[in-house]
Amino acid sequence: MTVCGLSVFVVMLGLYVEYTLTDDCSTLTVSHGSLLVEYGEPVELTCSIPSKPSSQYILGWESQINPVQTDSETSLVWRSPGLTEWEVNGREMFCYLTVPNQELCKQEVHLTLYKRPDSVKISSESSVWSEGQRMELKCEIENVGPLQNLTVQWTRVDQNKHRTVSEMLYGSFSASGEESKSGNVTATLRVSASRDEDGVQYQCAALLKLEQLQQPQVGSSEPLNITVHYKPTITQPSSGTISLTHGDQLVLSCSAHGNPSPQYSWSSPGNMNFRTSSIFISSVQSEDQGQYNCTAYNVEGSDSVTVMVNVAVNYRSIIIAVCAAVAVVLLATLFRICCRRAQTGNYVLKNPTSHRHNSIVA
Ligand SMILES: *[C@@H]1O[C@H](CO)[C@@H](O)[C@H](O)[C@H]1NC(C)=O
């Protein structure tokens, strides 16, 4: 009976101890379950138990860096005056409580160290490109980490302020250093130098995609302005024929897109050359008929357009002029005849003698 009673007591004691131990494990608390730490920042993690266990115990912090322990306190602080050890990333770190003959109690903590870049620079081999060339834009990010969480973001802003964003993930840029640590990065963006790229602004930024980081952008470059030189394309006039009539006004204006700004020249039928963008003739004559050629040019090349000008004789005005002339002649003749008669009359009135004489003659 006594043996039986003792064994029941032992079993009950065992259950009691197990119960209290489970209780101790759940009361082992840490100040942070996970913590994002900026490179060089001080860190303090506190581990505590509500009261001292009745038996011997050890409360400790297990870590790659500064492991600490106590056998007399109910609270233990793990600290780093300025965390710079990349080893904390992805390594197990925990607070533990050991009581002899009992299983270990532990609480894990996830520390994530990250570093903002020392600099983010954008550059290109040339500041001015010719249309059709392959532009290479370089983004150099110095001393940023963890590299595996880095994304390089490119922003393109065109002349109409329209933004386009593209991203390069780890693996699509060259990086020096281990992926879990910090290092230097060079990302290259290749763009074909089309005329659409002229006046565009590029910018690159470093993004760290970390769970607890609210603002992933940790650094950004200055904007880089792109200049693309391209040969002119004439927008006006279009080639064709203009039909005019003698005396009409002729206005030919040439304009073109190009960079640098195009210069213009016009050639006219009389083999005349004008270094202007437009031609003006206030009253065209038949010798103005023929081909007019506009050339727009710059360092990249030229474009030209030919306009045919026909000058028709104005038959209507000739007819009007002829009619007018005929009318004038007729009127003049009539006038002369009338005058002669009138002169004769006057003569008669002023000189009755003559009149008489004339009458005699008549
Ligand atoms: C990154 O670049 C800096 C400055 O050029 C250099 O001092 C440093 O050693 C480089 N770091 C790595 C990981 O290559």
Side-chain angles (χ1 to χ4, degrees):
M1 275 302 272
T2 326
V3 175
C4 184
L6 187 67
S7 53
V8 165
F9 173 75
V10 167
V11 167
M12 282 186 69
L13 181 71
L15 280 174
Y16 172 73
V17 168
E18 204 162 278
Y19 170 75
T20 34
L21 194 78
T22 317
D23 199 38
D24 282 346
C25 264
S26 68
T27 55
L28 179 70
T29 53
V30 288
S31 53
H32 303 85
S34 67
L35 193 62
L36 184 69
V37 184
E38 188 168 348
Y39 191 86
E41 264 185 7
V43 186
E44 269 193 20
L45 297 170
T46 308
C47 183
S48 52
I49 44 174
S51 57
K52 284 188 188 182
S54 43
S55 59
Q56 263 194 329
Y57 70 95
I58 295 171
L59 181 65
W61 275 104
E62 177 54 48
S63 169
Q64 209 78 15
I65 314 133
N66 310 340
V68 281
Q69 61 181 53
T70 178
D71 57 6
S72 56
E73 306 294 325
T74 56
S75 141
L76 181 66
V77 175
W78 180 91
R79 55 167 61 88
S80 167
L83 191 65
T84 55
E85 290 86 355
W86 288 102
E87 288 72 23
V88 299
N89 282 0
R91 294 284 175 86
E92 203 180 18
M93 178 174 182
F94 57 86
C95 172
Y96 60 87
L97 174 70
T98 57
V99 179
N101 304 321
Q102 304 305 326
E103 263 186 66
L104 181 85
C105 291
K106 63 180 191 180
Q107 285 289 336
E108 275 193 49
V109 172
H110 294 280
L111 277 190
T112 308
L113 183 65
Y114 75 100
K115 189 177 176 312
R116 292 175 185 275
D118 290 342
S119 65
V120 181
K121 289 184 191 132
I122 190 167
S123 61
S124 70
E125 289 163 34
S126 167
S127 57
V128 178
W129 302 84
S130 284
E131 191 172 28
Q133 283 186 315
R134 232 172 142 64
M135 301 194 286
E136 278 198 1
L137 308 184
K138 232 179 231 170
C139 185
E140 286 170 294
I141 307 169
E142 206 185 317
N143 209 359
V144 66
L147 288 171
Q148 62 195 354
N149 296 94
L150 183 74
T151 294
V152 179
Q153 188 187 63
W154 295 91
T155 305
R156 177 188 187 272
V157 180
D158 71 14
Q159 285 178 313
N160 303 320
K161 302 278 171 234
H162 182 75
R163 295 170 75 87
T164 319
V165 176
S166 61
E167 290 188 347
M168 288 180 180
L169 303 178
Y170 182 74
S172 55
F173 46 77
S174 76
S176 71
E178 287 174 45
E179 61 177 20
S180 61
K181 299 181 178 179
S182 68
N184 299 329
V185 163
T186 303
T188 308
L189 184 71
R190 290 180 181 86
V191 185
S192 173
S194 70
R195 55 185 63 197
D196 292 342
E197 295 298 317
D198 186 42
V200 166
Q201 241 180 24
Y202 280 94
Q203 203 165 6
C204 72
L207 269 55
L208 281 175
K209 302 277 178 84
L210 295 165
E211 221 172 276
Q212 287 168 286
L213 196 60
Q214 307 280 304
Q215 294 287 332
Q217 186 173 311
V218 288
S220 174
S221 74
E222 295 283 306
L224 177 76
N225 293 309
I226 302 293
T227 301
V228 177
H229 280 174
Y230 55 97
K231 75 184 191 88
T233 304
I234 292 178
T235 53
Q236 185 198 294
S238 45
S239 60
T241 304
I242 298 176
S243 296
L244 296 175
T245 313
H246 252 262
D248 279 355
Q249 181 175 293
L250 174 64
V251 182
L252 287 170
S253 191
C254 195
S255 61
H257 284 313
N259 191 19
S261 284
Q263 288 186 289
Y264 299 91
S265 79
W266 272 104
S267 69
S268 72
N271 265 336
M272 298 276 281
N273 279 295
F274 307 95
R275 300 222 162 261
T276 55
S277 64
S278 50
I279 277 186
F280 176 76
I281 299 171
S282 58
S283 170
V284 289
Q285 304 301 313
S286 40
E287 62 263 30
D288 295 323
Q289 177 167 299
Q291 281 190 355
Y292 289 78
N293 194 65
C294 170
T295 303
Y297 58 95
N298 65 13
V299 287
E300 295 291 315
S302 65
D303 189 20
S304 54
V305 69
T306 301
V307 177
M308 186 69 205
V309 174
N310 288 333
V311 179
V313 178
N314 192 341
Y315 290 106
R316 219 175 99 191
S317 58
I318 287 174
I319 289 164
I320 291 168
V322 167
C323 287
V326 168
V328 166
V329 168
L330 278 173
L331 279 171
T333 316
L334 278 170
F335 185 70
R336 208 178 297 155
I337 292 164
C338 289
C339 281
R340 222 178 263 160
R341 274 199 189 143
Q343 269 173 1
T344 315
N346 272 342
Y347 184 73
V348 170
L349 283 169
K350 277 186 178 171
N351 293 291
T353 334
S354 293
H355 178 245
R356 206 188 294 148
H357 173 75
N358 273 350
S359 328
I360 291 161
V361 173

